[in-house]
Amino acid sequence: MTSSRRCPVAAMRLRLAPGGPAALKVLAAAGAAAAPVRLEWSCPSELSPPWVPALELESGTVLFSPNAICQFFFLSRGEEPTDLSNQWLEWEVTELEPAASAALYARLVQGRKGLEAVEVLGKLLAHIEQNLARRGTGYLAGDTKSVADVVVWGTLFPVLQDETSLPSELPALKTWFQSMTLSEACRKAADSVLIPRALQEFTSYLQKQPPPCLPVQRTTSNEPEEEEGSERALTEEEITAAASAWARGAAALPKPWQPQKPVLPVEGMRNILITSALPYVNNVPHLGNIIGCVLSADTFARYCRLRNWNTLYVCGTDEYGTATETKALEEGMTPQEICNKYHAIHADIYRWFDISFDYFGRTTTPHQTRIAQDIFKRLLARGFLLEDTVEQLCCESCQRFLADRFVEGTCPFCSYREARGDQCDKCGKLINAVELKSPQCKLCRSVPVVKATRHLFLDLPKLEEQLEPWLEQSLATGDWTPNARYITRSWIRDGLKPRCITRDLKWGTPVPLDGFQDKVFYVWFDAPIGYLSITANYTQHWERWWKNPQQVELYNFMAKDNVPFHSVVFPCSLLGAEDNYTLVNHLIATEYLNYEDGKFSKSRGVGVFGDMAKDTGIPADIWRFYLLYLRPEGQDSAFSWSDLMLKNNSELLNNLGNFINRAGMFVCKFFGGTVPSMVLTLDDKRLLARVTLELRQYHQLLEKVRIRDALRCVLSISRHGNQYIQVNEPWKRIKGDEKDRQRAGTVTGVAVNMAALLAVMVQPYMPSVSSAIQGQLHIPPDCFVLSHDFTCTLPPGHHVGTVSPLFQKLENDQVEALRRRFGGGQAKQNSPASGSPPAPATQVTPGDPQLIQLLTEEVAKQGNHVRQLKANKAEKAQVDAEVAKLLELKKQLALAEGKSPEIPVPKGKSKK
Amino acid sequence: MAGAARPGPGVEELSLLEKLLGLPNGNKYGVQGERKVPVLQTNNGPGLTGLMTIAAHLVKQAKKDQLLGSTAEEKAVVQQWLEYRVTRVNGSCSKEDTRIILKDLNVHLEDKVYLAGNVFTLADILMYYGLHHVMVPCVSSHAGRPHSARKGEIP
């Protein structure tokens, strides 16, 4: 090899997806070949083109194939491929990798046992064994470690993890695998991809991928493939157990726990303290904010209460900081007035969404000052604070030091042009505002100057030795979402630095220290203390929650951008204060929710914001359902109007609502409103066992706060119910002989009891729907509790009330109108011909938006009216008259929107 | 293992490649497994398996190593597109897959003459063979994907 062929030694940029299985071999190859790379972790969604991993060469060429990247590293130091190494690479990419992915998927996502997962690889492992044994060199190709060894190892490692999972008849493979795993490059790669400590990163990556298909290995089955896992065969024991649990009836249920107010921890009970990230007061939250914290936390809190866990859920508005000061200037009010105004808006929105806070407080209270200053003083006394002079950006035209969020500029790391002063949205790195290139004041767009000012810092490096053992314990025993684990680990891995806790502002908690009287605490020191002070405003015994880690389990809910402050910074404050504080046990972080194809944007008027949701005419529970259905658990998700309509009409109306309504209607129509007697057959008992399985799965998922997945179990039960009714046809059998009528009674009785179970299971998701079912079926309040068994809570003889439909159909025009109103998705269709300057909105959408809104609501109202009439079997003439009105309204709406209605009209009528 | 039954598409391709490289017609091929992976039978040992592997071997046999790239970078890029060929193009059957592949290639070729930049390589040859059946209608009409269509220029 001539040296001129070698690659220059400047570091190449290597982008990897966190948890992407290919990361391992690429890192190991870089290490083994001593290739100079600059590693960047980024999610596939942020990359363009979306190839991951990606190695950027000096020439600008980007390699996206993991094996080619590995090959390149070895080529760069002069190791040419041979026929044999080529053959291994080709075999790896065509045979081994697909099988290994399938095995990994089976184990991590579908929960198959380790050995079963490895079995898929049987033949392939034997192939490696044979070749190693025949060659006898200990390596796959050649006499030393080559690219082939690294690539094959990198694919096997996530599946096998260590050589003990290999069967003993593969001795050569075992030895090879062990020596590879022990080599420095591989070990380091494994450490930085975070295995075997937890394969959760892989899991979350794989969950985003479609399941791999292996046509060759797929076992044939005559049974139609149902939704994953749920259709496994039931055992005799399960069926017997389900039948006897059913027979025990409501008496078997625990009595619902009614805590005294205020809720305080109770000795011997599971005491759960739930917080959701405090929303900034000066903004109206959008749907993404709502699902990210308050709604997720609410669903979980409701679930906990149904489990008889002693639960306190607190939240409040985060009111201090520059943002509020600025907003106050804008609106010509004092900061306090701004806070009062927006606090009320927030509280209204959450009330509308039926969020069950035990207390919704705020941070601008005397308790906040007292507790924050106390923690500060304790940190100071224990030497965990540092003083330093810092250079800060100061805007001379605004005459103020600029808070980080009020500076924008070019990211010093990735050159993204719109990086904020605290963090770059593109590469996610934390930034010191003064390091921004070409900074600008976000308010007046002038160029700020750097000025020196004294500040206090939380000495995170000094606190790290307390943080680490706690964190290790919390991660090992708690339910942290994979993104929370990943973000926290990478923060620690990048090294902790002292973090400034003071700011040159007026609107904040004053710093109680000589020389700092004109400063306040930085919101990130101050805001999480809000959880404590808000609880203190709820009860004087707040310390029984917050200084009681022995009895209390703390759940923090947030979007992923808040993770480091809850997992590192705030715990450091509390640990350093040495006052036996309750620290987070379970950190639940969501990914982001997008709107249609883009982001929510207040300034562009794109997206649905909390205060507008109620104006859509769609009930809060439907919003809750849909947001929870697409909760960004594990990956970003997107709100879509047409999907909302689809899910409402298919899952709620046709599946869940239809089942509960039919079950109730049969009791009313065929049995005079009284639950009939039941004689269970084996098929019925099988159904009970099937429902029990779903119920247990629901518990398992919700205990791990997998809210979205648990919702699938609820819908799965009603699907089973619909099928049960469909197969048994009680409406036919009721007209038959004695035996048929008894069968109709049994099916109706079982179905209505499933409906009663569903009423409880949907309560965390749709509280109003739940109480509507409770009202219709007269479910006793004592049955509103969740156990692990499905029991008969509405026994024969129980009287149900009036049954009516729970959900209403969403019509296409109605949803289209909403989409137009809130922007996004279809915007392009509405915009004028390309090339012409953007026209004012009024010209783009013909007609008056208020008229459109009015008509939309009228159409929805009339539509419901018609359906109600039909449901109540009203006279045909009356129905027809109302339908005619509905059609007329729809026509008017279409005209107002500038669309041509279904009846052709002269073209001139449309302004477009 | 290496049954010498009906030659698979990979084998025909390798015969074409032999001709293109000016190699004498002496190699024996078999196929292996359900995917009919080509196997080059040699006098000693188990032979070579896989389209990419055998193609690279033939190129070296014909002493046209430049077709595998000259620099580390070119070699890796060739490797990458050969891999793309055997994993994506071989596995594709649906129209949607084909559409994605053509789109990928079109994006990649926007600022290049050949897959590896300015030099013609084995990657272009095998990609041409692999896409021939779907490309023929495109090339004649020159519609749709202009940069992929350029591959019609290969001699």
Side-chain angles (χ1 to χ4, degrees), chain A residues 59 61 83 87 90 95, chain B residues 35 49 53 57 73 75 80:
Chain A
S59 63
T61 302
D83 281 348
Q87 181 169 292
E90 183 170 1
E95 309 272 342
Chain B
R35 292 192 301 112
T49 309
T53 307
H57 172 82
E73 176 175 330
K75 286 175 191 178
Q80 163 166 292

Side-chain angles (χ1 to χ4, degrees), chain A residues 157-175:
Chain A
F157 186 77
V159 190
L160 303 177
Q161 293 182 69
D162 59 71
E163 63 284 352
T164 54
S165 51
L166 284 170
S168 57
E169 60 265 27
L170 304 173
L173 174 58
K174 241 179 159 151
T175 314

Side-chain angles (χ1 to χ4, degrees), chain A residues 5 51 57 59 61-65 67-68 71-72 75-76 80-83 86-87 89-90 93-95 134 216, chain B residues 34-35 37 46-53 56-57 60 70 72-73 75-77 79-81 83-84 86-87 104:
Chain A
R5 284 197 176 180
W51 289 318
L57 307 183
S59 63
T61 302
V62 177
L63 292 178
F64 57 83
S65 139
N67 285 7
Q71 181 82 277
F72 176 77
L75 277 163
S76 301
E80 288 292 313
T82 61
D83 281 348
N86 278 340
Q87 181 169 292
L89 259 52
E90 183 170 1
V93 78
T94 54
E95 309 272 342
R134 192 167 53 220
V216 189
Chain B
E34 290 202 15
R35 292 192 301 112
V37 181
L48 280 178
T49 309
L51 181 68
M52 279 169 78
T53 307
H57 172 82
K60 280 186 267 184
S70 315
E73 176 175 330
K75 286 175 191 178
V77 172
Q79 157 94 16
Q80 163 166 292
W81 288 106
E83 183 185 308
Y84 186 94
V86 298
T87 54
D104 275 2

Side-chain angles (χ1 to χ4, degrees), chain A residues 411-428:
Chain A
C411 173
F413 303 102
C414 74
S415 301
Y416 176 60
R417 277 163 189 271
E418 287 166 42
R420 289 178 290 141
D422 51 352
Q423 197 171 17
C424 172
D425 282 337
K426 180 108 180 287
C427 68

